[in-house]
Amino acid sequence: MMNNEIIRMEDIYKTYGGTEVLKGINLSVSESEVVVLLGPSGTGKSTLLRCINLLTVPDRGRVWVNNVELTAPKININHAREHIGMVFQDFNLFNHLRAIDNVAIGLVKVLGVKKKEARERSRVQLEKVGLANKMQLYPGQLSGGQKQRVAIARALAMDPKVMLFDEPTSALDPELIGEVLDVMQKLAQEGMTMVCVTHEMHFANEVAKRIIFMEGGIVVEEGAPQEFFSSPKTERAKKFLGKFAGTNAADSN
């Protein structure tokens, strides 16, 4: 891997039930870069994202994160994943645990951090995402946006080198989307390496350093957001963006 390259994917293929979802994808992401994956539904974006941390194992190809090859035969994948945070669209919180314990559980169970220290680190991360006054609440007492911010805090507590976001606002009511995107934008400003699957066009335009447009399991076009949104090079990208013309971040989910 190159010096500032933190993610590298080579020749990634994945087939589900006879359908080839990824067709030889190559992707590299530099440290502190924010990459947004765009494209129609069902085109392989989430599958590609999940291949980065091997939640989905590619049929062919190799993946490196933080100079470790995750696709190596004898890799300790759980240890390798400790450096990769992931936020899902459906939160994946434990309903029987308070917010602070949802954040702390990975530190205790995975990293072996003492419970007192884990709760302190969790408190810091919950404050960071604007939930200082919600730490003792259960998921059932939180809004969707608050749940997603707990999920982000949980990922950040593990001190990841990379954050992956799989449509983190798609399950939220429109008025709650902004509070999650604000947290993500702050992370980007702080230099977190991020790969995001999203339909939030305003966020992609404002925060991404690079847009990767996928369709049919391949990368159709990529470039800086200013170029992609103002003058897409391919007809497929033009058609896709045409559906979002005139929308704002709250409308484009």
Side-chain angles (χ1 to χ4, degrees):
M1 295 178 69
M2 293 166 55
N3 286 340
N4 67 336
E5 191 178 55
I6 197 163
I7 297 170
R8 183 167 151 206
M9 309 180 83
E10 287 186 356
D11 206 28
I12 300 298
Y13 286 81
K14 184 65 183 179
T15 297
Y16 287 118
T19 300
E20 201 171 34
V21 179
L22 297 177
K23 304 174 183 178
I25 299 282
N26 294 291
L27 172 67
S28 64
V29 179
S30 299
E31 195 170 354
S32 299
E33 188 178 18
V34 178
V35 173
V36 169
L37 305 179
L38 295 179
S41 297
T43 198
K45 305 184 302 296
S46 292
T47 300
L48 180 63
L49 191 78
R50 292 169 67 91
C51 283
I52 294 175
N53 62 0
L54 261 63
L55 280 180
T56 294
V57 180
D59 299 330
R60 284 168 50 194
R62 302 172 72 186
V63 179
W64 291 262
V65 177
N66 199 33
N67 291 311
V68 174
E69 185 186 349
L70 274 64
T71 43
K74 296 183 179 179
I75 187 74
N76 181 336
I77 190 61
N78 291 325
H79 179 64
R81 282 195 190 119
E82 290 173 8
H83 300 292
I84 309 170
M86 186 158 187
V87 177
F88 303 87
Q89 55 186 294
D90 53 0
F91 323 129
N92 286 8
L93 301 180
F94 295 102
N95 289 325
H96 68 288
L97 296 180
R98 300 177 193 272
I100 193 167
D101 295 314
N102 262 289
V103 176
I105 191 168
L107 293 169
V108 174
K109 300 285 189 184
V110 179
L111 299 186
V113 176
K114 299 292 186 186
K115 191 169 183 180
K116 184 177 179 181
E117 182 189 340
R119 286 173 68 89
E120 175 59 24
R121 284 165 65 172
S122 300
R123 181 189 63 77
V124 170
Q125 295 302 334
L126 285 166
E127 287 180 350
K128 184 173 181 176
V129 299
L131 294 175
N133 61 339
K134 305 290 184 183
M135 295 186 192
Q136 299 302 323
L137 298 184
Y138 292 94
Q141 298 170 296
L142 301 173
S143 71
Q146 290 165 346
K147 289 178 189 176
Q148 195 59 292
R149 285 187 282 155
V150 172
I152 293 172
R154 178 181 58 190
L156 291 174
M158 304 290 283
D159 195 24
K161 303 291 186 185
V162 172
M163 284 285 285
L164 310 178
F165 293 88
D166 189 7
E167 300 198 33
T169 60
S170 66
L172 302 181
D173 292 332
E175 65 268 22
L176 301 177
I177 289 172
E179 64 191 58
V180 173
L181 295 180
D182 286 347
V183 170
M184 293 172 64
Q185 184 160 10
K186 184 179 178 184
L187 287 176
Q189 291 168 348
E190 292 172 355
M192 176 62 74
T193 306
M194 297 163 57
V195 184
C196 311
V197 175
T198 185
H199 291 295
E200 303 298 334
M201 295 298 152
H202 182 72
F203 171 82
N205 194 23
E206 289 290 315
V207 180
K209 292 185 180 176
R210 183 157 46 112
I211 302 291
I212 293 178
F213 177 71
M214 292 178 62
E215 187 170 77
I218 63 171
V219 174
V220 175
E221 184 172 339
E222 66 177 291
Q226 295 79 6
E227 297 171 8
F228 179 79
F229 286 106
S230 63
S231 53
K233 299 180 182 69
T234 63
E235 287 303 317
R236 283 189 270 184
K238 290 175 186 175
K239 183 178 178 182
F240 176 80
L241 290 173
K243 294 192 296 184
F244 293 95
T247 62
N248 58 32
D251 294 326
S252 44
N253 191 38

